[in-house]
Amino acid sequence: MARVTVSQGLKGALRIGQTMTVLGRTGLGWVRGHRPPAPRMLRETFESLGATYIKLGQFIASSPTFFPREYVDEFQGCLDRTPSIPYTSIRRILREELGRPLEEVYSEIDPVALASASIAQVHAARLVTGEEVVIKVQKPGVETVLLTDLNFLYLSSRLVETLAPKLSWTSLSGIVEEIQQTMMEECDFIQEARNLDTFRRFLQDTHNEEVAVPKVYHQCSTRKVLTMERFHGVSLTDLETICRVTKDPERTLITAMNTWFASLTQCEFFHADVHAGNLMVLDDGRIGFIDFGIVGRIRPQTWQAVSDFIGAVMAGNFDGMADAMVRIGITRESVEVTALARDLRNLYQSMDRMVPDDSASEWQGADTDDEVNNILMEVVRIGEDHGLHFPREFALLLKQFLYFDRYVHILAPEMDVFMDDRLTMLH
């Protein structure tokens, strides 16, 4: 964990002052009787604190293996949309980063941002050589704010662990360190450019011509500026428009899912943020994967255990589910697999989602995304009750599965993702 608060100087001190002011205001509101439910109060406080805490809120929203359900649900509303900064600031950053007149690189840049988030904003442009591109520009001062905030959070989490030793198993400080690593990777556009290049090679090596990632223009990219090929298309959830560019939306979705599943074992990483804004159906019918700022890596043995878990769910094999969960999780004590299997069986019987039978059994699935999420979190809770602690990679995988589940509901509501032979999830 980088210890940089002091080295950030006055800016770091000012940021800590801002943080304490917001926290003090929240505490004062509590004393005066403004007492919303704790999850909502925390989300509102995080949104007031800005970039780092919004990202932390999104981490909570995507981590049912780490946080209570009511907090995971509440932070689904923690959106990373922030006002754009003036175009004059964008031009200044571009000149400083590229080290040459912008007219030598871009023939035009749209001064109106295509998108603006807490870390960066994106502008459409055209290179002097004629290619349409988008420029992702890191906002000024972002790294100072992130590092200052994360040091404050790290020291606070260590203090909590010291005062409450029983919480050391949850490793709050370890979670903060992992968040820091993720956020710092998002701030390093050179690493994101490498990720794009690596995924492009994966597509080439697997002879996948139905999926594309933006080409990186390295000659006009730096750690804070990323110039990429511009994709034209629509979100994967825009069914009406998708039907204009592909005759078979279901097959399009299957292509996207199979590509992602293949990356789990055939690429150095998997895309760890496949929300609708990062998966596009391009005008030529191909699938476009964009935004590789967040990626995940999973060990082959962990993915095998996840695959076995899914297979056990399909078969209604509770002993198999329990065994796979033990292999996925991390534990400091022996786990009684039989007892874990019994609790899983009771869960599915009580929720009437799975009906075990000696001759045949099938998972009935969930009618809504919320129900799927609830089932997964209940399974995780049961595992934790038996001493299992699931790694971050498992939480990332669960989140992507939930995204794909939503896409199935929209594009292919009749498809059974567990039984469809066109899907290579378990092959």
Side-chain angles (χ1 to χ4, degrees):
M1 180 82 176
R3 305 285 184 264
V4 294
T5 303
V6 175
S7 67
Q8 296 300 317
L10 181 60
K11 290 182 179 179
L14 288 173
R15 176 58 184 170
I16 291 177
Q18 292 171 351
T19 301
M20 298 308 295
T21 299
V22 172
L23 294 177
R25 189 163 57 240
T26 300
L28 185 60
W30 179 268
V31 170
R32 290 177 173 175
H34 177 62
R35 298 178 180 178
R40 193 179 90 194
M41 183 177 70
L42 193 63
R43 176 183 60 78
E44 291 173 349
T45 302
F46 278 16
E47 289 177 342
S48 298
L49 288 167
T52 310
Y53 293 86
I54 289 174
K55 289 293 182 184
L56 178 57
Q58 293 173 338
F59 180 91
I60 293 172
S62 65
S63 303
T65 61
F66 286 147
F67 300 98
R69 178 194 302 173
E70 59 269 24
Y71 287 87
V72 172
D73 290 344
E74 178 65 36
F75 278 94
Q76 299 298 324
C78 200
L79 302 177
D80 189 13
R81 290 201 298 263
T82 59
S84 59
I85 62 174
Y87 178 61
T88 52
S89 297
I90 292 294
R91 287 188 63 89
R92 176 180 55 77
I93 295 168
L94 287 172
R95 283 196 301 268
E96 290 174 355
E97 287 294 311
L98 300 181
R100 48 189 156 149
L102 298 188
E103 293 71 21
E104 294 180 7
V105 182
Y106 309 104
S107 60
E108 59 183 274
I109 302 174
D110 189 340
V112 179
L114 284 174
S116 178
S118 55
I119 288 178
Q121 70 184 49
V122 177
H123 288 258
R126 186 180 295 274
L127 297 179
V128 291
T129 48
E131 295 91 343
E132 278 192 280
V133 297
V134 292
I135 316 169
K136 185 175 181 179
V137 183
Q138 187 176 129
K139 292 182 175 180
V142 162
E143 284 190 273
T144 295
V145 170
L146 290 179
L147 290 170
T148 301
D149 288 347
L150 287 164
N151 275 308
F152 178 76
L153 286 171
Y154 179 82
L155 293 173
S156 299
S157 63
R158 288 301 300 269
L159 178 62
V160 169
E161 289 175 347
T162 300
L163 297 177
K166 289 184 179 180
L167 290 178
S168 62
W169 170 232
T170 62
S171 189
L172 295 175
S173 57
I175 292 173
V176 173
E177 286 191 287
E178 191 157 353
I179 293 171
Q180 189 205 38
Q181 180 181 348
T182 298
M183 289 188 184
M184 290 302 101
E185 285 180 359
E186 282 194 77
C187 286
D188 185 354
F189 294 169
I190 292 176
Q191 181 59 52
E192 183 173 351
R194 291 194 194 105
N195 292 342
L196 285 160
D197 290 341
T198 298
F199 206 83
R200 176 186 290 273
R201 286 195 301 272
F202 153 68
L203 295 177
Q204 293 171 344
D205 292 344
T206 54
H207 309 289
N208 188 339
E209 297 179 352
E210 297 181 283
V211 175
V213 295
K215 175 184 176 182
V216 176
Y217 293 89
H218 292 277
Q219 72 275 19
C220 41
S221 296
T222 69
R223 194 173 185 278
K224 296 183 179 181
V225 172
L226 181 57
T227 303
M228 301 169 285
E229 172 186 7
R230 184 177 184 182
F231 277 174
H232 291 280
V234 297
S235 165
L236 197 62
T237 57
D238 189 350
L239 179 58
E240 181 179 350
T241 308
I242 286 175
C243 290
R244 299 175 189 169
V245 296
T246 176
K247 296 179 180 178
D248 192 348
E250 186 172 297
R251 182 179 180 278
T252 299
L253 174 60
I254 288 171
T255 298
M257 293 175 72
N258 280 341
T259 299
W260 186 81
F261 290 136
S263 72
L264 293 172
T265 55
Q266 299 178 49
C267 188
E268 294 177 15
F269 55 78
F270 61 89
H271 195 302
D273 196 20
V274 291
H275 65 70
N278 289 340
L279 281 182
M280 300 174 64
V281 181
L282 305 185
D283 291 344
D284 62 8
R286 292 181 300 165
I287 297 289
F289 280 71
I290 64 173
D291 193 348
F292 281 76
I294 303 177
V295 298
R297 292 172 175 82
I298 186 167
R299 296 176 303 165
Q301 57 267 40
T302 303
W303 169 239
Q304 183 59 55
V306 173
S307 180
D308 291 345
F309 175 79
I310 296 170
V313 169
M314 290 170 54
N317 179 356
F318 298 101
D319 290 326
M321 290 171 63
D323 176 72
M325 287 174 67
V326 171
R327 286 185 284 134
I328 294 168
I330 303 168
T331 180
R332 291 182 179 176
E333 55 191 63
S334 61
V335 176
E336 190 178 340
V337 178
T338 303
L340 176 56
R342 182 182 63 246
D343 286 349
L344 290 170
R345 182 187 298 273
N346 291 339
L347 167 68
Y348 276 86
Q349 286 179 333
S350 66
M351 300 185 77
D352 196 29
R353 294 290 176 232
M354 181 179 286
V355 183
D357 186 270
D358 290 338
S359 57
S361 181
E362 76 178 306
W363 190 41
Q364 298 300 324
D367 294 331
T368 67
D369 299 328
D370 288 340
E371 289 176 314
V372 173
N373 205 7
N374 288 340
I375 290 173
L376 289 173
M377 285 192 286
E378 283 298 316
V379 168
V380 167
R381 180 189 60 76
I382 288 174
E384 291 176 341
D385 287 345
H386 284 266
L388 290 171
H389 180 68
F390 295 99
R392 170 66 172 156
E393 293 85 354
F394 185 56
L396 285 174
L397 285 174
L398 284 185
K399 188 64 176 179
Q400 311 321 306
F401 284 137
L402 290 173
Y403 281 135
F404 282 123
D405 179 72
R406 292 177 188 134
Y407 303 150
V408 169
H409 278 295
I410 295 169
L411 299 179
E414 303 301 319
M415 185 172 70
D416 185 335
V417 296
F418 293 125
M419 303 303 292
D420 198 307
D421 291 337
R422 296 171 296 176
L423 285 171
T424 59
M425 176 167 51
L426 300 175
H427 306 302

